[in-house]
Amino acid sequence: MIFGILVNEGPYQHQASDSAYLFAKAAIEEGHTIFRVFFYHDGVNNGTRLATPPQDDRHIPNRWSELANEHNIDLVLCVAAAQRRGMVDPDEMKRNKKDADNIAEKFRISGLGQLIEAGVQAERLITFGD
Amino acid sequence: MEEELESGVVKKFLYINRRAPHGTVYAHEALEVVLIGAAFEQDVSLAFIDDGVFQLKKDQDTSEINTKNFSKIFAALEMYDVEKLYVERESLESRGLKEDDLSVDVKVIDSSEMKKLITDSEVIFNF
């Protein structure tokens, strides 16, 4: 089965990102494919490389990056949601004349069309959030 | 940033709006998905249930809360070929609203019809 995943909530505040990660990991282990993980609303905050959770806690952004590295998963932050919330990649940094970027490894910023495409291409699109 | 799909696949998309228009950003950002999605020539329907029916309330004024009055955008959806708007009757009635209180033309359906609409849809966004 080809899955698309939509994460609508930020890390730590809400279980959505944890559940999405555990689902994606379990699906891959069972031989399924993740077409894309799309992060929307506060979900874009999952893509910051500047998070420093306590050492005895899970590192949510790093965990996504590692999963993407191991299994070549497409992690996409919505550009409109990212701009509002200060999530910046090197291109956005230049375009909006910011003095830094903060995107974690293997995440990229792109348009909402990527979410629609996931809806069309995946056999199931699963939303994690309230 | 218009993107196109070359697959030619057309699916039944349903955007379910469940939340009040203000107080959280969900409703506003949901509408942004609808507008972008309209460029992809899919079969799009919008459903309004629970507090989501307030999104369509006429004469909204957000000037005192310093947020964007995006309710005006619903009237423009027709230009994007988004024409199927469904409102759940029970949600309207339990909030003291009538069809006349809404800013756009909708089809009011009861919860069993809403259930069928959801069941018949292929891609569901739940905001």
Side-chain angles (χ1 to χ4, degrees):
Chain A
M1 175 85 67
I2 302 170
F3 289 105
I5 292 178
L6 171 61
V7 180
N8 282 338
E9 300 292 341
Y12 302 104
Q13 175 79 14
H14 196 288
Q15 196 183 335
S17 177
D18 291 288
S19 300
Y21 169 80
L22 294 171
F23 176 87
K25 194 165 171 283
I28 291 162
E29 281 165 7
E30 292 295 317
H32 301 292
T33 304
I34 306 295
F35 177 77
R36 175 171 295 144
V37 184
F38 192 87
F39 296 86
Y40 197 44
H41 303 305
D42 276 358
V44 296
N45 292 317
N46 284 285
T48 177
R49 68 163 188 271
L50 302 183
T52 313
Q55 285 200 348
D56 59 354
D57 198 356
R58 71 238 187 269
H59 196 305
I60 292 178
N62 284 2
R63 208 171 53 174
W64 278 116
S65 295
E66 285 158 16
L67 190 73
N69 261 330
E70 281 166 34
H71 303 286
N72 202 26
I73 298 171
D74 193 17
L75 305 177
V76 179
L77 310 182
C78 166
V79 62
Q83 286 175 338
R84 284 193 178 112
R85 293 163 178 85
M87 283 301 309
V88 180
D89 66 6
D91 283 347
E92 284 290 304
M93 181 179 91
K94 279 187 211 119
R95 194 191 342 248
N96 297 309
K97 300 187 171 56
K98 302 296 179 187
D99 61 5
D101 69 75
N102 59 348
I103 195 164
E105 195 188 347
K106 298 298 278 187
F107 283 85
R108 63 189 181 95
I109 294 178
S110 188
L112 278 165
Q114 300 276 306
L115 172 60
I116 305 297
E117 188 193 21
V120 174
Q121 300 294 341
E123 291 165 90
R124 294 278 190 283
L125 180 76
I126 305 191
T127 301
F128 292 86
D130 282 332
Chain B
M1 193 178 298
E2 199 163 295
E3 290 156 75
E4 283 182 21
L5 292 178
E6 287 171 10
S7 65
V9 177
V10 177
K11 286 189 175 178
K12 288 181 186 166
F13 276 63
L14 177 65
Y15 296 87
I16 303 179
N17 298 286
R18 296 179 290 121
R19 293 182 175 94
H22 312 294
T24 69
V25 78
Y26 296 105
H28 185 187
E29 288 191 329
L31 196 51
E32 292 188 349
V33 183
V34 174
L35 293 176
I36 298 291
F40 286 79
E41 299 185 346
Q42 301 292 309
D43 179 359
V44 174
S45 299
L46 269 60
F48 297 84
I49 59 175
D50 300 339
D51 279 349
V53 299
F54 285 122
Q55 293 180 29
L56 299 176
K57 177 78 178 60
K58 261 186 207 168
D59 302 327
Q60 293 182 37
D61 178 3
T62 61
S63 54
E64 298 287 330
I65 57 170
N66 300 324
T67 59
K68 203 166 172 177
N69 185 3
F70 63 89
S71 67
K72 292 169 182 168
I73 298 171
F74 287 110
L77 284 179
E78 219 175 349
M79 292 191 301
Y80 290 82
D81 293 324
V82 176
E83 291 169 331
K84 291 185 279 188
L85 277 61
Y86 300 92
V87 175
E88 189 192 55
R89 185 184 315 281
E90 290 85 344
S91 299
L92 271 184
E93 286 175 355
S94 64
R95 286 163 181 78
L97 291 173
K98 295 186 170 61
E99 202 174 335
D100 282 351
D101 295 315
L102 305 182
S103 60
V104 288
D105 287 338
V106 300
K107 191 168 184 208
V108 178
I109 60 178
D110 63 32
S111 62
S112 62
E113 291 170 298
M114 186 61 77
K115 184 179 170 186
K116 187 174 184 323
L117 176 66
I118 294 169
T119 308
D120 290 346
S121 298
E122 295 174 285
V123 181
I124 297 173
F125 291 110
N126 199 350
F127 291 109

